[in-house]
Amino acid sequence: MTDAELVQHARIAAANAYAPYSKFHVGAAALLRDGRVITGVNVENASYPLGVCAERCALARAVAEGVRPGEVEAVAITASPCGGCRQWFHEFGVDRVVFLHEGELLARRPDELLPDSFVL
Ligand code: THU
């Protein structure tokens, strides 16, 4: 699957975002090494900090299906990923993160998005 196709999955998913507070719909799509695509959306909450980002939603859904770090090839997002999600990309060892930034489709490694990141 091309990065452009993966972003298209994220775009389609964004229509299901639950974002009544920010009205900012985000979609994500995780491409697994076995070829499966698992999507996610941002899910907001009246208690604002409890909201979940689209890419973390996608990765959490993948984990629920038994996926573990090292098994995710790429994650595409319809927005530039926040700092917390960048830490998640490290944890999952994804090869690349694909996202639209200022009209341009970028593909970055997690260490480019968050250098010298926290590890246990
Ligand atoms: N959001 C994401 O889903 N992913 C990000 O990486 C950036 C922010 C969501 C969270 C919130 O629901 C909305 O975008 C506005 O911040």
Side-chain angles (χ1 to χ4, degrees):
M1 169 166 312
T2 67
D3 287 352
E5 286 168 340
L6 192 60
V7 168
Q8 192 53 23
H9 280 277
R11 281 207 187 96
I12 291 165
N16 288 330
Y18 176 71
Y21 306 106
S22 74
K23 318 262 189 244
F24 189 73
H25 288 212
V26 183
L31 173 64
L32 308 186
R33 295 200 192 282
D34 65 12
R36 277 182 292 163
V37 174
I38 298 184
T39 59
V41 296
N42 55 331
V43 182
E44 297 185 346
N45 189 273
S47 180
Y48 293 177
L50 299 183
V52 177
C53 288
E55 48 275 60
R56 272 183 266 185
C57 172
L59 290 170
R61 288 186 72 201
V63 168
E65 296 297 319
V67 173
R68 288 296 173 267
E71 297 175 11
V72 181
E73 181 182 324
V75 177
I77 315 137
T78 59
S80 180
C82 77
C85 289
R86 293 173 188 220
Q87 185 75 40
W88 272 52
F89 300 140
H90 265 280
E91 182 84 20
F92 280 86
V94 309
D95 293 352
R96 62 189 186 284
V97 181
V98 180
F99 56 100
L100 291 162
H101 183 66
E102 296 177 348
E104 200 183 344
L105 188 64
L106 302 178
R108 300 272 190 246
R109 295 189 314 272
D111 67 292
E112 292 177 303
L113 295 175
L114 192 66
D116 309 317
S117 69
F118 174 75
V119 283
L120 273 181

